[in-house]
Amino acid sequence: MWRNFVLKASLLVVMVMLCVGVPIVNAEGVALNWTSPTTANLYSVCMLSANNGWAVGEYGTIIHWDGTDWSNVTSPTEYDLNSVFMLSAGDGWAVGVDILHWDGTSWSTVTSPTTSWLYSVFMLSASDGWAVGEYGTIIHWDGTDWSTVSSPTTESISSVHMISANNVWAVGYFGTIIHWDGTDWSTVTSPTVANLYSVDMMSASNGWAVGSVGTIIHWDGTDWSIVSSPTEMELYSVNMATSSDGWIVGFLGTIIRWNGVSWSNVTSPTMWDLYSVDMISAIDGWAVGAYGTIIRWTGTVWVPEFPTVILVPLLISLTLVVVILAKTASKKRRSPLLPSRTQP
């Protein structure tokens, strides 16, 4: 009797675990089944393709996506890395207190012209890029060296985005917005005094920035203006897949989406802070955050990593099922033929 009970219970557990743990498949039929290789906070993610992406974070953490798994990559620094930007599979940059460069084989430290913390890096080409940071720090890459550039602000600058060599935007604390016109950086009128943490420009006349207390602002080519937000949570990162499809992530797993008309809340699979989001396409994208959190957009829902905790009860239950079935089969093989119960 107890064997029947255990067998049924084990089968039930197996079914439940399989329902929960079977790899989710995205719109392209790709299995979404991975685990995070770190518990360090991840501050930035940059995806080159569905099979090649990078994320960086505290203690110099660097991880790489190869299309199947995320794995740790040797880092030349133990200091936090706040931003990563990849130009190609063989050329990428990461910044924090150090500046790191990827040459396609390994990450190495590059001489920095500043001792300030750097919060964001963006590269237009192998010979043109910008990084920004605390106290209004701005530095430029010319293909050979990083050098400091005169800044119009002393406020910390959180994020930078390049549209072209002569059109670059950066945002920062207390509503700071600055613009590069190819010659100088200048302050631009801001519609907010909220801290701005991220900027993403679609074109010279279409851009977004987000920040504290749910702040969302939009650039229309002439002015920055406040846009209605569905949340008052801190918003840490914005990334637009298209002009009518964009994403913002933030505090306590907040995820909101732009549909071309308005921003609205989207169900999140995590309660941990999400610090960065990067979309490959409308049906594929990644977000990273606190304690090694990694989630992926399938085109339908955001899914978390495949939890290893599922594997333990699943393996135990499968083992019990196999053992009980084996013993039952063995007992049947050993059972002698019983004498007939018919009356003589």
Side-chain angles (χ1 to χ4, degrees):
M1 176 68 72
W2 71 268
R3 285 179 178 171
N4 288 333
F5 173 77
V6 173
L7 179 60
K8 292 177 180 178
S10 299
L11 287 172
L12 177 61
V13 171
V14 170
M15 293 300 294
V16 171
M17 292 298 103
L18 286 175
C19 288
V20 174
V22 164
I24 298 171
V25 175
N26 72 358
E28 295 175 327
V30 178
L32 307 178
N33 183 2
W34 74 93
T35 57
S36 176
T38 182
T39 57
N41 292 336
L42 297 172
Y43 298 133
S44 178
V45 60
C46 183
M47 305 301 299
L48 284 167
S49 69
N51 299 317
N52 193 353
W54 295 85
V56 300
E58 65 178 349
Y59 312 129
T61 299
I62 303 175
I63 62 175
H64 178 251
W65 172 255
D66 63 5
T68 303
D69 295 301
W70 286 94
S71 59
N72 286 299
V73 176
T74 301
S75 174
T77 184
E78 293 182 355
Y79 291 105
D80 291 359
L81 294 170
N82 298 314
S83 177
V84 60
F85 190 92
M86 305 302 297
L87 274 168
S88 67
D91 191 4
W93 295 88
V95 299
V97 70
D98 290 322
I99 300 177
L100 307 185
H101 180 251
W102 172 256
D103 63 5
T105 303
S106 62
W107 289 92
S108 59
T109 304
V110 175
T111 301
S112 175
T114 179
T115 57
S116 297
W117 279 92
L118 298 170
Y119 298 138
S120 177
V121 61
F122 195 102
M123 307 301 296
L124 188 67
S125 68
S127 60
D128 190 10
W130 294 90
V132 297
E134 63 180 347
Y135 310 126
T137 300
I138 303 174
I139 63 174
H140 179 255
W141 174 254
D142 62 6
T144 304
D145 299 297
W146 287 95
S147 58
T148 56
V149 176
S150 179
S151 175
T153 182
T154 57
E155 300 295 347
S156 290
I157 308 174
S158 309
S159 179
V160 61
H161 190 110
M162 302 182 70
I163 301 171
S164 68
N166 300 322
N167 194 350
V168 186
W169 291 90
V171 300
Y173 281 31
F174 303 105
T176 298
I177 303 175
I178 60 176
H179 179 255
W180 171 259
D181 63 6
T183 304
D184 299 296
W185 284 95
S186 58
T187 302
V188 176
T189 301
S190 175
T192 182
V193 294
N195 292 339
L196 296 172
Y197 301 129
S198 177
V199 61
D200 190 47
M201 305 300 297
M202 294 293 295
S203 68
S205 59
N206 188 5
W208 296 88
V210 301
S212 59
V213 293
T215 299
I216 304 174
I217 62 175
H218 179 254
W219 172 255
D220 62 5
T222 304
D223 299 295
W224 287 93
S225 58
I226 295 286
V227 175
S228 179
S229 174
T231 182
E232 293 185 352
M233 294 292 190
E234 301 287 288
L235 300 175
Y236 298 128
S237 178
V238 56
N239 188 252
M240 307 299 294
T242 67
S243 59
S244 60
D245 186 17
W247 296 90
I248 298 172
V249 298
F251 186 63
L252 293 180
T254 297
I255 303 176
I256 61 178
R257 187 181 193 182
W258 174 254
N259 63 6
V261 178
S262 62
W263 291 94
S264 58
N265 287 302
V266 174
T267 300
S268 176
T270 182
M271 286 296 290
W272 295 121
D273 295 351
L274 294 171
Y275 298 127
S276 178
V277 59
D278 194 34
M279 304 304 296
I280 302 166
S281 67
I283 60 172
D284 195 7
W286 295 84
V288 300
Y291 305 109
T293 298
I294 304 174
I295 63 174
R296 189 178 191 180
W297 174 247
T298 68
T300 306
V301 296
W302 285 93
V303 296
E305 65 177 313
F306 183 74
T308 54
V309 68
I310 287 178
L311 297 178
V312 176
L314 181 60
L315 290 174
I316 292 174
S317 299
L318 285 172
T319 301
L320 285 172
V321 169
V322 171
V323 169
I324 292 172
L325 290 176
K327 286 186 176 181
T328 301
S330 177
K331 182 177 179 181
K332 287 181 178 180
R333 286 197 300 270
R334 293 197 305 268
S335 297
L337 292 174
L338 297 176
S340 174
R341 290 174 182 255
T342 57
Q343 294 296 322

